[in-house]
Amino acid sequence: MVQQAFAKMRRIISFRRFSTNPRSYGDAIDALNSLQTNFATLEVIRKSERKANTKAIPEMVEWARRVGYTPSDLDRLNIIHVTGTKGKGSTCAFTYSILSQYQPMLSKIGVYTSPHLKSVRERISINGSPLSEDKFTRYFFEVWDRLSESVSEESTFPSMGQGVRPVYFRFLTLLSFHVFLSENVDTAIYEVGIGGEYDSTNIIRRPTAVGIASIGIDHTRVLGTTLKEIAWNKGGIMKTGTKAFSVEQKADAWDALQGRASEKNVELIMVPVHPVVAKTRLGIDAEFQNINASLAVSLAREHLRVLGHYPQEYSNDKELPSEFTKGLENASWHGRCQTIKDGSTEWLLDGAHTDESITVATRWFTTKARNNAKKILLFNQQTRDAKSLVSRLHSILGADVHFDEVIFCTNITWSAGGYQAAELTSMNNSKQAVHDLVVQKELAEQWEKLDPTSKRHVLPTIEHAVQYVRELEEEDVQVLVTGSLHLVGGLLVVLDK
């Protein structure tokens, strides 16, 4: 049943082949979206728990072979590999910003992250810029056609038969490898998708440094139900001969990481908050980002050391080159601890969607909340335990911060219906549940139990929510937007018109 679900999920039902006209960026996005997991199939796979995991890496190596690459080819990219439950994206952003200060010594720096906020091209960037539409289209169809024109031995790879293609994230990972190698990237930063041991990115063989951000409970059907199991999985990206750096972890997680380090003969180093970081005004401005910035400092320093570029006069751990400080100050990561001023309204955005990240995002908001401002919560989460998340958020607020109004909406962008573009389309949720506002109504009921004094709204789209806020006749409004990166991405689109 599970293998059938995977095969169905990856089979291309239909896609137009253009014999005379060149294929467009829109064609690439349509083809990419055909690789998404639809809701019904996803439910079958979720119920299968972790049975398919062990085949993930051999299959990914085989997909790469069909595109024309071996794991050893990836060594040319000089990859920094980063995992974690909370903070891995911010860590990648800080690491990139630091290393960008060493250009042109490092000529091209590629970054592969997920998910995207407004455009899928954000996931594959070079020197801070997303891949252009033209390059995305060209490289996309080069990978697509190579997969079409090659075959796998079905006795060895029974789920990779004729007409089957890798799922959405696997395909994008393959595309990132192809792009970075074709563009002669000489430093790459890779954020793990889910976990580590079986993640599509884990065919990387010789990273220059490995980073592990804070580990918490998430993706339990894939990674395990305990911190120890999840940490074991995330520790799978450690590689013999490469130093691994981790922020401080809970005891069970740290024990599991140490076990994996011992198994792989890896030097595992716990990273405290760096004294220079503690005194620096970070570009991603939140106190809890200090530890992610400190992890980035360790990763960038080790990367430069391996490549022979780190200045020896700064071997003292308490000092950092000015390039590091400038990189920390200039770092940015849209949708995380982001503030946007829009007339009399201040939008405070953080795509937190786990218990741990909701906790720190709420604390960040409480440090920004103004006493006399009207405070509004805009929240959605379609796939996780949304009621648990919103209850956690409320518990962190404390007595001094109160939401005057709360808005629960879907991730649909426009009031006319539909998403901003095909790139924001998600097939991973029940369309009927989204249409009927099932989750949003449940969240409104849950909030009534938590704080009956807040005025509650259930709205069908993000644009409806923005329109409502903009029509308020208030001199000072603060809106916390959280619960989902898809919500934050859609909001950015609406604010940008």
Side-chain angles (χ1 to χ4, degrees), residues 399-432:
D400 296 331
V401 179
H402 162 76
F403 285 114
D404 301 287
E405 303 191 35
V406 292
I407 302 172
F408 301 106
C409 71
T410 70
N411 292 337
I412 295 174
T413 314
W414 300 116
S415 56
Y419 297 88
Q420 177 263 350
E423 294 170 83
L424 292 183
T425 300
S426 174
M427 301 178 186
N428 297 339
N429 305 310
S430 165
K431 290 183 179 179
Q432 192 62 47

Side-chain angles (χ1 to χ4, degrees), residues 274-277 279 301 310 314-320:
H274 196 283
V276 174
V277 170
K279 297 184 293 185
R301 185 166 50 193
Y310 191 72
Y314 289 98
S315 57
N316 185 336
D317 283 349
K318 294 182 180 179
E319 297 180 64
L320 291 175

Side-chain angles (χ1 to χ4, degrees), residues 127-283:
N127 290 345
S129 298
L131 207 60
S132 69
E133 289 189 3
D134 287 346
K135 283 191 175 183
F136 184 95
T137 304
R138 172 159 60 89
Y139 288 129
F140 178 94
F141 283 112
E142 286 177 0
V143 173
W144 183 273
D145 291 342
R146 290 182 189 186
L147 292 173
S148 299
E149 295 160 2
S150 60
V151 295
S152 297
E153 177 55 58
E154 289 198 40
S155 61
T156 306
F157 300 102
S159 63
M160 297 173 65
Q162 190 69 31
V164 176
R165 283 189 174 80
V167 293
Y168 188 93
F169 186 78
R170 282 189 181 185
F171 190 97
L172 285 173
T173 305
L174 291 168
L175 178 60
S176 74
F177 293 148
H178 179 54
V179 168
F180 292 159
L181 288 167
S182 299
E183 290 285 322
N184 296 315
V185 162
D186 57 1
T187 284
I189 302 165
Y190 268 78
E191 177 189 0
V192 165
I194 295 177
E197 177 75 16
Y198 306 113
D199 187 73
S200 302
T201 63
N202 205 30
I203 66 170
I204 296 166
R205 192 184 64 158
R206 294 176 60 189
T208 59
V210 165
I212 305 172
S214 179
I215 296 174
I217 302 293
D218 197 19
H219 299 294
T220 53
R221 284 183 170 141
V222 178
L223 305 181
T225 58
T226 67
L227 265 183
K228 200 160 191 173
E229 288 178 303
I230 293 169
W232 180 92
N233 202 303
K234 292 183 184 294
I237 71 168
M238 288 190 254
K239 301 294 189 298
T240 303
T242 298
K243 289 183 181 180
F245 301 86
S246 171
V247 303
E248 185 177 353
Q249 307 284 356
K250 292 178 181 177
D252 283 353
W254 182 247
D255 287 347
L257 291 177
Q258 285 186 307
R260 298 237 66 184
S262 177
E263 164 198 331
K264 294 169 176 283
N265 194 26
V266 166
E267 182 181 356
L268 175 63
I269 301 164
M270 185 181 287
V271 177
V273 173
H274 196 283
V276 174
V277 170
K279 297 184 293 185
T280 301
R281 177 70 179 267
L282 301 177

